[in-house]
Structure formats: C-alpha cells, structure tokens
Amino acid sequence: MPSADNDFETRLTAVERELARLREKAAITGNDAAGARVLAAGADRDVSEVRAELRAHTQGLNALRETQVEQGGAITGLRRDLDGLRREVREGFTEMRDGFGTVATGMAQLTALLTNITGEGG
C-alpha cells in the first residue's frame, strides 16, 4: 500500500507541472494579446486614413457637381441667347427679302417709266 507522503508528492509534482504549463500558456496568450492589440491599432489607423481619403473624394465630387450645375446654367443661358440670335437673324432675312421685293418692284416701275419716256416700248 502506498504511503500518504508518496501520494502527496506525486500529486504535488503533477500540480507543479500543470502550473508550469499554465504559466507558459499564459505567457503565449499575453504575447498573442499584445500582437492583437498592435494589429487592431494598425487597422484603426488604416480605417481612419481610408475615411479621410473618402471624405476628400466626396468633397471633390461635390465640388465637381457644383461646377457642372453652374455650367449647366451657363449652357442654358447660352442656348437661350442662341435661340434669340436665330430669331433675330430670321427676322432680319425676312425684312431683307421684303426690302429686295420692294426694290425690285421699284426698279420695274422705273424701267417701265424710262421705256415710256424713250419710246422704246415696242
């Protein structure tokens, strides 16, 4: 029959081994946790940089949109001006045609009068 001292020693040795194993595991876990904290800090920094870049891109796109809206208004004004110019040119050509018609009629009357005066009518 084993003695109580021998049984105690065996159990104490087993506990000491288990304690050493747990200390080793705790050290590894501590190192892993420190590494995870470093990775998390890096990821946080990366996310902050991406957010800053995204804000800058968004501001650039908003500025571009404002410029396009302003240019769209300017283009609308140019179209309106161009339509007005087309209308004026058409009206001017109509007036010119009417004027040329009047001149042609007057020339025909002058030709008829001169023909009557000179007696070359026939």
Side-chain angles (χ1 to χ4, degrees), residues 25-70:
K25 203 171 197 180
I28 291 170
T29 302
N31 288 338
D32 289 350
R37 282 191 294 273
V38 168
L39 289 174
D44 184 54
R45 196 170 34 255
D46 290 347
V47 167
S48 294
E49 289 174 10
V50 168
R51 283 184 179 160
E53 288 181 29
L54 182 60
R55 274 192 299 276
H57 288 305
T58 301
Q59 289 172 349
L61 288 172
N62 285 337
L64 180 60
R65 182 183 177 284
E66 288 177 26
T67 300
Q68 287 175 334
V69 167
E70 290 170 4

Side-chain angles (χ1 to χ4, degrees), residues 64-85:
L64 180 60
R65 182 183 177 284
E66 288 177 26
T67 300
Q68 287 175 334
V69 167
E70 290 170 4
Q71 288 176 347
I75 289 172
T76 300
L78 289 174
R79 284 185 182 146
R80 201 175 17 245
D81 292 346
L82 185 58
D83 288 344
L85 183 60

Side-chain angles (χ1 to χ4, degrees), residues 72-114:
I75 289 172
T76 300
L78 289 174
R79 284 185 182 146
R80 201 175 17 245
D81 292 346
L82 185 58
D83 288 344
L85 183 60
R86 282 185 184 131
R87 209 172 12 262
E88 287 180 32
V89 168
R90 284 187 189 129
E91 290 171 1
F93 278 122
T94 300
E95 290 176 19
M96 286 175 55
R97 281 190 202 106
D98 291 345
F100 284 137
T102 302
V103 168
T105 302
M107 292 295 284
Q109 290 173 350
L110 283 173
T111 301
L113 286 173
L114 288 172

Side-chain angles (χ1 to χ4, degrees), residues 10-31:
T10 304
R11 287 181 24 219
L12 180 60
T13 302
V15 168
E16 287 173 344
R17 278 191 208 130
E18 183 66 18
L19 180 61
R21 191 183 68 75
L22 289 173
R23 282 183 180 157
E24 187 178 316
K25 203 171 197 180
I28 291 170
T29 302
N31 288 338

